Amino acid sequence: MTASSTAASLSRDLARIARGLRAGSNKSSLPLSSLSALWVLNDAGAPIRLSELAERETLTVPTMSRIVAALERDGLVVRTADPADGRASLLVPSHAGVELVNGNRSRRVQALERALDGLDATERDVLARALRKIAEELTEHPQA
């Protein structure tokens, strides 16, 4: 299989996975863009500015501002004043936000856990490493 046909097949399979995860979620589930922002905040390990979050997610600041406002309204993000610059604010996930991204309440994570049950530990590890590398490559070199 060529790299091009592998990429086409992978793209199709990822779309099917995303559709399957959306179908298994209830109406109150967060959009993937909101979950992704929470994951970034959780993984940051320290409060970050909205502009940095937008940059990491390759979104505009106004788009990220809308996402964060909804997360804040839902009690999943906490905004505090930046002590270095009173005009700016810092973002961290709330306790509920941390629980959600760590899979404690996520139906998507539970659905993936069920799907992964058919793989042995080695297959799960290889899959996780491969997907992480692809995600990092796409994040570091977004499409033009």
Side-chain angles (χ1 to χ4, degrees), residues 23-56:
S25 299
N26 62 19
K27 296 292 183 198
S28 65
S29 292
L30 289 176
L32 289 177
S33 58
S34 297
L35 280 173
S36 184
L38 270 176
W39 288 325
V40 169
L41 289 172
N42 190 55
D43 291 347
I48 63 173
R49 288 183 171 194
L50 180 77
S51 58
E52 182 180 349
L53 179 59
E55 182 179 327
R56 289 186 187 190

Side-chain angles (χ1 to χ4, degrees), residues 56-74:
R56 289 186 187 190
E57 289 291 274
T58 61
L59 295 171
T60 65
V61 171
T63 298
M64 185 54 68
S65 182
R66 285 189 296 274
I67 290 170
V68 168
L71 290 169
E72 194 175 16
R73 181 192 66 235
D74 293 343

Side-chain angles (χ1 to χ4, degrees), residues 6-135:
T6 298
S9 178
L10 182 58
S11 178
R12 183 178 55 251
D13 290 340
L14 288 172
R16 290 176 59 209
I17 290 167
R19 273 194 312 273
L21 292 174
R22 275 193 313 269
S25 299
N26 62 19
K27 296 292 183 198
S28 65
S29 292
L30 289 176
L32 289 177
S33 58
S34 297
L35 280 173
S36 184
L38 270 176
W39 288 325
V40 169
L41 289 172
N42 190 55
D43 291 347
I48 63 173
R49 288 183 171 194
L50 180 77
S51 58
E52 182 180 349
L53 179 59
E55 182 179 327
R56 289 186 187 190
E57 289 291 274
T58 61
L59 295 171
T60 65
V61 171
T63 298
M64 185 54 68
S65 182
R66 285 189 296 274
I67 290 170
V68 168
L71 290 169
E72 194 175 16
R73 181 192 66 235
D74 293 343
L76 299 171
V77 167
V78 176
R79 187 186 305 249
T80 59
D82 184 342
D85 181 353
R87 299 168 296 167
S89 59
L90 298 173
L91 306 169
V92 294
S94 68
H95 179 71
V98 171
E99 283 185 354
L100 191 135
V101 296
N102 287 333
N104 296 343
R105 299 186 311 171
S106 171
R107 290 183 185 206
R108 288 181 177 120
V109 170
Q110 292 169 2
L112 278 172
E113 286 173 348
R114 287 189 299 275
L116 292 171
D117 282 344
L119 302 176
D120 65 33
T122 301
E123 291 170 322
R124 286 191 303 269
D125 185 51
V126 168
L127 176 63
R129 282 196 326 264
L131 288 175
R132 189 171 302 112
K133 285 177 101 173
I134 291 168

